[in-house]
Amino acid sequence: MLTVALPKGRLGESVYKILENAGYACPEMNESSRKLVFENKETGVRYLQVKPSDVAVYVERGAADVGIAGKDILEENSPRVYELLDLGFGKCRMAVAAKNGFVDNPARTLRVATKFVNIASRHYANKGRNIDIIPLHGSIELAPITNMSDVIVDIVESGSTLKENDLCVIEEFMQISARFIVNEASFKFKEAEINRMLEKLKEATQK
Ligand code: PRP
C-alpha cells in the first residue's frame, strides 16, 4: 500500500485527475465529505487530503510515501525528499509586484510582503539589496495597497488578482509547476511500487 499526500484545493483537482488517469482512482474521493483519508485496496493506494503547503512535510516525515507539491513550496521549505517528476501542470511564476507606477529607490530599505520568506530573502540577497520582510499568510496584495509594503513576492498564475488590485509585475524570477516527491526511506523499501506509480504518472502526463 502506498500513502499519497494530495494537496487540497486548486492544485488538488488536477492532481487527482492525473492519478485517476494513471490508474490510481479512488471513487470514494469524488463524494464531497469532510473525510481526510481515503483508501482503495484494489489499486493499493491510500490518499491523505492535506493543505498544499503541508504536502512536503508529510512526505519528508514518512507519514506519506509520496506526494504532489508545488515547486514554490519545495524551494521555500527545502524538505529532504526526492523530486522525481515535473508533472507539467499547476504552472505559475514567482514574481515581484508593486502598485502601478512604483519606482524603486535603491537608497532605501525595500519593504517586501510575502508568504515566501526564504525565497524572497534569497532573491534579494543575490542582488545585494537590503530588505525588510513582512511575513503574511494570504491576500498578500493588500500590503502595497495599504502602503504597508513597497512590493510583494508572490505567485502569479493568470495575473488577474494583480490586475484587479491595480498592481503589476516588476520581475518574474522562478517558474513553478507541480512535482512528484518521494520519501527517502520509502524509495528504498517500496522502490518497485513507487517506480510503477512514477512510470504511470509519466504516461498520464504525456497523454
Ligand atoms: C494566490 C497568490 C495570488 C493569486 C495569483 O493566492 O497568492 O494571490 O493566487 O493567482 P492569479 O494570478 O491567477 O490571480 P491564493 O488564491 O492561493 O490565495 P491567498 O491569497 O489566500 O494566498
Side-chain angles (χ1 to χ4, degrees):
M1 175 80 57
L2 274 186
T3 301
V4 184
L6 267 189
K8 290 199 275 195
R10 259 208 269 199
L11 184 61
E13 284 167 30
S14 327
V15 169
Y16 182 67
K17 238 174 248 157
I18 283 287
L19 282 157
E20 203 173 24
N21 291 342
Y24 296 94
C26 189
E28 237 194 325
M29 296 241 315
N30 296 326
E31 299 151 23
S32 62
S33 81
R34 299 288 297 162
K35 254 181 89 160
L36 299 172
V37 184
F38 297 92
E39 214 171 275
N40 184 347
K41 291 209 171 69
E42 273 167 44
T43 51
V45 280
R46 187 160 76 114
Y47 288 114
L48 310 179
Q49 299 253 39
V50 314
K51 212 179 149 161
S53 50
D54 291 339
V55 166
V57 177
Y58 283 84
V59 175
E60 181 176 28
R61 290 181 175 266
D65 299 304
V66 302
I68 288 94
K71 184 67 177 170
D72 50 335
I73 304 299
L74 302 177
E75 287 287 327
E76 176 63 16
N77 299 328
S78 309
R80 287 196 49 179
V81 295
Y82 296 131
E83 184 187 316
L84 296 189
L85 181 66
D86 181 347
L87 292 163
F89 59 82
K91 282 191 178 171
C92 50
R93 292 91 58 204
M94 189 63 68
V96 178
K99 277 202 277 196
N100 290 331
F102 169 76
V103 182
D104 188 12
N105 176 357
R108 286 187 46 198
T109 298
L110 188 71
R111 296 169 306 159
V112 183
T114 189
K115 268 189 282 199
F116 301 97
V117 168
N118 295 324
I119 291 175
S121 302
R122 275 201 304 269
H123 178 65
Y124 285 104
N126 287 339
K127 290 173 179 278
R129 183 78 163 90
N130 250 349
I131 61 163
D132 175 16
I133 287 266
I134 304 172
L136 293 176
H137 297 99
S139 302
I140 317 298
E141 294 80 5
L142 275 174
I145 292 174
T146 57
N147 282 324
M148 183 164 76
S149 81
D150 300 306
V151 299
I152 61 174
V153 167
D154 201 10
I155 50 175
V156 177
E157 195 179 348
S158 64
S160 53
T161 309
L162 291 181
K163 206 170 158 209
E164 285 179 32
N165 290 290
D166 299 321
L167 304 173
C168 62
V169 169
I170 291 181
E171 186 188 359
E172 287 181 353
F173 62 93
M174 187 189 288
Q175 300 295 321
I176 295 159
S177 56
R179 309 294 162 102
F180 179 60
I181 59 170
V182 176
N183 172 269
E184 292 180 343
S186 299
F187 197 46
K188 248 187 228 143
F189 298 114
K190 299 184 179 181
E191 196 186 344
E193 269 175 273
I194 290 171
N195 276 328
R196 197 178 316 128
M197 184 177 269
L198 176 66
E199 290 312 312
K200 295 274 182 201
L201 281 173
K202 278 185 193 164
E203 283 169 29
T205 50
Q206 279 155 16
K207 265 179 204 163

